[in-house]
Amino acid sequence: MEQFEFMSPTKFILQKDADLLCGREVKKYSDHVLFVHYGDKYMYDSGLHARITKALADEGLVCFELPGVQPNPRVELVREGIELCRKEQIGCVLAVGGGSVIDTAKAVAIGVKYDGDVWDFYSGKAVPTQALPIGTVMTLPATGSEGSNGSVLKNTETGESADTMADCLRPSFTLMNPELTLTIPKRQTVFGIVDMFSHVLERYFSSSREVYLTDYMCEGVMKSILVNARALMRDLKDYNARAELMWTAVVAHNGLLAAGRNQDWATHTIGAQLSAQYNTVHGAALSVLFPNWAAYVYKENIPRFVQFANRVFDIDIDLYDQEKTALEGIRRLREFFDFLGAPSTLNDIGVESDEKFAKMAEDACRFGSIGGIKTLNAADVEAIYRMAQYESRSI
């Protein structure tokens, strides 16, 4: 085990009607709140907007709104939120939605406390050290941003998609009402499951040795996702499966599974360029890329991939041909994503040309080589894009 620091200050509440506690929790930090949300038809037609605004009003809070968050959230909207917070002396930011909303709220919260442009944090020019208190009402289990120390934004002016990380980005509280997820379309549910599974994979495929505790924890979380995902595909209204996946999304990405081990994160970095160039949904990019990344790098650490196959997918180890076992584990991962109905190739998600592959590969490695199991340069990344373009469903 390697040395580490781990901080998790977020208060989590999972229960029916947990969203109605937002006023009580916000009031602990400020009487002026910025309510960040998608602003879409669902927000109003479902009654969620009315529930939130009433809960805030019942506590006597002054509420200002920042609607209009999009998937792959934009820095331009963040700048609007920062200006509003400063003008109205807002002391707490409340995100109601999924990862894009939460990441937007986090960016606003750090931007208010910074004299420069908020994109400085995402371009590597500055590191966040302070933020307004952040609260979340989680509506989509996926990114784990409701418990993590990270935020991802897109800059449409430069075409970049980038992240920033700091413990001041961890929310002060997260409210989880599983009933809010019951009407999520199947497509979004699937991409959320792929996302949380991928967060565990990024930590699991580590070159650190003798990390037995987090190995078993990662494997347990992945097996739990398999069970609950299959239950949910049988019945999208399964409350218990949705509740379990809500908590799983947090555990998969709050840093606990990374304690004492190095991590990979190449696939997320490669996928971010698909989001930047093609506005690809994050979970869709990961579904396509992860099995192809695994097929590209597995020979660097065959025992790790054998352990994954054996412990997560219950594949018997072939002592005479361990590579065969490793490849079967990768095939089962692809099979699981196929079972969910997630895309398998870049062609499936509308990337029909390779004209941007070289640029995306360069952008993925703009700060240097990436990856942990295998160090990848731009040529490696471009090769993975090409593998993923028309790969058959059997890796």
Side-chain angles (χ1 to χ4, degrees):
M1 176 176 281
E2 301 176 18
Q3 64 184 28
F4 67 90
E5 293 184 14
F6 175 65
M7 177 182 179
S8 184
T10 309
K11 175 182 180 180
F12 296 100
I13 301 175
L14 189 152
Q15 65 181 55
K16 292 182 179 180
D17 295 331
D19 51 306
L20 298 182
L21 301 176
C22 64
R24 183 192 78 182
E25 296 301 318
V26 167
K27 193 173 183 178
K28 296 174 182 178
Y29 302 98
S30 178
D31 57 4
H32 283 59
V33 60
L34 181 67
F35 171 17
V36 183
H37 58 91
Y38 292 113
D40 57 2
K41 190 172 183 289
Y42 167 80
M43 190 73 191
Y44 299 94
D45 290 354
S46 67
L48 181 56
H49 183 273
R51 285 167 66 90
I52 297 299
T53 54
K54 183 178 185 303
L56 296 172
D58 286 349
E59 294 291 341
L61 304 178
V62 181
C63 176
F64 300 88
E65 296 189 40
L66 185 69
V69 177
Q70 303 175 51
N72 301 315
R74 276 59 166 176
V75 69
E76 293 81 6
L77 184 65
V78 169
R79 292 178 179 132
E80 292 179 25
I82 292 169
E83 183 178 345
L84 180 58
C85 283
R86 289 173 175 165
K87 177 183 176 182
E88 302 297 344
Q89 297 185 312
I90 292 169
C92 183
V93 185
L94 178 68
V96 181
S100 295
V101 173
I102 299 170
D103 283 0
T104 299
K106 288 180 173 182
V108 171
I110 56 175
V112 171
K113 297 283 190 176
Y114 180 60
D115 290 336
D117 181 59
V118 69
W119 187 253
D120 288 350
F121 295 124
Y122 296 83
S123 64
K125 293 180 180 178
V127 177
T129 59
Q130 54 183 333
L132 293 178
I134 305 157
T136 81
V137 175
M138 182 184 177
T139 64
L140 176 63
T143 70
S145 189
E146 61 279 358
S148 79
N149 65 347
S151 167
V152 179
L153 281 186
K154 180 176 181 178
N155 188 328
T156 55
E157 295 173 0
T158 65
E160 296 174 279
S161 180
D163 67 351
T164 189
M165 299 180 72
D167 280 329
C168 65
L169 286 164
R170 293 187 186 272
S172 298
F173 65 87
T174 285
L175 306 175
M176 299 177 285
N177 175 3
E179 290 185 328
L180 295 181
T181 73
L182 292 173
T183 55
I184 294 174
K186 182 179 179 180
R187 177 175 179 269
Q188 287 181 275
T189 299
V190 164
F191 291 151
I193 293 169
V194 172
D195 197 2
M196 67 181 79
F197 201 93
S198 298
H199 286 156
V200 186
L201 291 174
E202 295 283 21
R203 294 170 167 94
Y204 185 73
F205 285 110
S206 167
S207 59
S208 298
R209 302 181 65 182
E210 296 182 334
V211 282
Y212 304 116
L213 174 61
T214 44
D215 269 0
Y216 284 123
M217 290 170 68
C218 288
E219 291 153 3
V221 171
M222 286 188 281
K223 290 180 79 70
S224 174
I225 293 172
L226 295 175
V227 169
N228 286 297
R230 288 163 180 155
L232 207 52
M233 292 304 100
R234 290 193 297 269
D235 178 10
L236 288 173
K237 300 295 185 182
D238 188 325
Y239 175 91
N240 189 70
R242 288 196 175 274
E244 290 238 344
L245 288 170
M246 280 193 108
W247 183 235
T248 301
V250 174
V251 174
H253 200 43
N254 72 348
L256 181 62
L257 302 182
R261 62 196 299 143
N262 63 30
Q263 303 168 68
D264 196 275
W265 293 105
T267 307
H268 270 71
T269 304
I270 297 168
Q273 303 315 314
L274 286 171
S275 297
Q277 296 297 324
Y278 295 96
N279 206 32
T280 305
V281 175
H282 183 56
L286 295 174
S287 169
V288 171
L289 291 172
F290 236 115
N292 286 285
W293 165 86
Y296 190 82
V297 307
Y298 78 93
K299 289 184 179 179
E300 297 294 315
N301 195 333
I302 287 178
R304 169 62 46 173
F305 281 88
V306 168
Q307 180 176 303
F308 170 70
N310 176 247
R311 294 188 185 174
V312 177
F313 288 107
D314 301 316
I315 299 166
D316 291 336
I317 299 174
D318 188 333
L319 297 178
Y320 298 99
D321 190 352
Q322 294 205 9
E323 184 175 358
K324 179 180 177 182
T325 306
L327 287 170
E328 178 62 13
I330 297 170
R331 192 192 70 79
R332 292 283 187 93
L333 175 64
R334 174 74 271 157
E335 187 178 71
F336 172 57
F337 289 164
D338 288 346
F339 163 76
L340 295 174
S344 177
T345 70
L346 291 180
N347 192 52
D348 290 344
I349 57 178
V351 181
E352 299 177 351
S353 167
D354 64 0
E355 62 181 349
K356 295 183 179 181
F357 286 180
K359 178 183 178 351
M360 291 193 303
E362 290 174 5
D363 288 348
C365 298
R366 65 188 181 277
F367 298 123
S369 57
I370 60 176
I373 284 279
K374 177 180 173 64
T375 301
L376 305 176
N377 57 30
D380 294 312
V381 173
E382 186 173 352
I384 291 172
Y385 284 134
R386 294 189 184 283
M387 280 180 65
Q389 193 169 13
Y390 302 111
E391 191 70 51
S392 68
R393 287 188 174 267
S394 56
I395 290 292

